[in-house]
Amino acid sequence: MPEPQAISLEAKNPFELRVKLGNDVPEQTVREALATGDMGFVHSFTTGSTVDGPGVRVVAWTTGCMWRCRYCHNPDTWTLSNGMPVSVARAAEELGKYREGLKVMKGGFTLSGGDPLMQHRFAAKLLAAAKAMGIHTTIETNGYYGDKLSDAELNSIDLVMLGIKTWDPARHKALTGMDVAPTLAFARRLAVRRQPIWIRFVLVPGLTDDMDDLARTAEFAAGLGNVERVEVLPFHQMGRFKWERLGLAYTLEKVEAPTAEVVERACEVLRKAGLKAY
Ligand code: SF4
């Protein structure tokens, strides 16, 4: 199956709406891609990110996510076939162009999504290719499919940016549609391996701003011993247009970004548990 060349792999930013780029890929080819990881489905590559891991990053945004977070700002990445089919060789070649620059800028490669572990074979191969080029590797994931990576494959990952949404199981289910337990199990596995984690926590007024709930998350994270920092990400409305364009029912139109005081209060809860929080 030839890869489409008309659409650039590189997007200006992940907020670019991209849909149906992989619609023409036959079902059998999709199945083989998922099984072998020789081909993946990618929303886009972005370069020059300073918020997706240490230093300056090249980020590959894969498609496919099994969660349905009510505040997701990239719902076009939920569907695998919205991404363009890219062979692992081409993705690695693209990455190789930035190899030296990334080293100079003390940055690296981040595999994000969607959830990149929806395509765990592709993720494992691309991260191994990056590591083999001497590039610092980060994966940004909700961790639900963390058990799909072997210990040897985890060795190709220098940093895991793990999205923890909320502690309470019922609240988590209502917010994401999925259970929180696999994410926490993945965090524990990484802790046993002493593999660094940065936690990403999206602060959404009325949904995730219960400070007692956050204190439970903080206690868990601090107890792991491998959480280097927690990033508190204030909710924003930048992804709303995607929900509307995709015909999805957006439920947060009346929710405003948290105030600086509430963000600081959340950081204090995390710091009180002994974590670095920004
Ligand atoms: S896990 Fe990430 S990509 Fe998936 S729905 Fe939630 S915010 Fe969106």
Side-chain angles (χ1 to χ4, degrees), residues 65 67-69 71-74 77-78 113-115 142 165:
C65 185
W67 290 20
R68 294 293 176 263
C69 300
Y71 55 74
C72 181
H73 60 229
N74 283 319
T77 64
W78 291 351
D115 189 86
N142 59 36
K165 321 290 183 184

Side-chain angles (χ1 to χ4, degrees), residues 20-273:
K20 299 182 180 171
L21 301 180
N23 260 17
D24 294 339
V25 181
E27 181 95 23
Q28 177 63 19
T29 309
V30 174
R31 270 201 292 272
E32 280 168 17
L34 289 173
T36 64
D38 289 338
M39 187 177 84
F41 292 82
V42 178
H43 173 280
S44 57
F45 271 70
T46 51
T47 53
S49 167
T50 54
V51 294
D52 294 292
V56 177
R57 318 291 299 179
V58 170
V59 187
W61 308 91
T62 57
T63 48
C65 185
M66 70 305 266
W67 290 20
R68 294 293 176 263
C69 300
R70 290 174 60 194
Y71 55 74
C72 181
H73 60 229
N74 283 319
D76 52 335
T77 64
W78 291 351
T79 308
L80 192 74
S81 61
N82 277 348
M84 72 181 92
V86 182
S87 69
V88 76
R90 183 178 170 208
E93 185 189 321
E94 183 75 12
L95 189 54
K97 293 180 194 165
Y98 304 99
R99 176 183 184 169
E100 294 310 320
L102 289 174
K103 281 184 200 157
V104 171
M105 293 182 285
K106 299 194 185 327
F109 170 58
T110 299
L111 188 64
S112 187
D115 189 86
L117 293 181
M118 277 287 280
Q119 302 185 59
H120 48 86
R121 294 305 83 215
F122 179 70
K125 284 191 174 173
L126 187 51
L127 289 162
K131 192 77 185 153
M133 285 189 268
I135 297 173
H136 179 278
T137 56
T138 294
I139 189 167
E140 194 175 350
T141 176
N142 59 36
Y144 193 82
Y145 281 148
D147 63 351
K148 302 286 185 192
L149 296 179
S150 67
D151 284 347
E153 288 164 350
L154 283 177
N155 287 341
S156 294
I157 303 175
D158 293 309
L159 172 69
V160 177
M161 296 180 83
L162 188 65
I164 296 189
K165 321 290 183 184
T166 182
W167 181 261
D168 180 77
R171 204 176 279 169
H172 192 276
K173 188 108 187 179
L175 184 63
T176 69
M178 301 297 277
D179 290 332
V180 68
T183 300
L184 304 183
F186 187 46
R188 288 190 192 98
R189 180 178 171 207
L190 295 170
V192 169
R193 292 172 48 86
R194 300 258 162 249
Q195 197 153 357
I197 295 178
W198 290 7
I199 287 175
R200 301 198 109 182
F201 170 74
V202 182
L203 185 61
V204 192
L207 287 181
T208 66
D209 60 348
D210 181 313
M211 295 300 156
D212 290 336
D213 187 276
L214 182 57
R216 300 287 309 280
T217 306
E219 192 186 334
F220 169 77
L224 292 172
N226 61 331
V227 175
E228 294 184 345
R229 65 165 73 178
V230 183
E231 296 182 344
V232 177
L233 309 174
F235 167 75
H236 58 70
Q237 294 280 4
M238 285 169 74
R240 179 176 171 178
F241 85 99
K242 288 192 174 184
W243 286 73
E244 291 165 355
R245 295 268 296 277
L246 293 167
L248 298 167
Y250 187 63
T251 56
L252 306 186
E253 56 275 274
K254 294 205 173 77
V255 177
E256 294 184 359
T259 61
E261 288 74 25
V262 174
V263 174
E264 186 50 31
R265 206 179 312 148
C267 287
E268 276 167 18
V269 168
L270 294 157
R271 286 183 199 125
K272 206 169 149 198

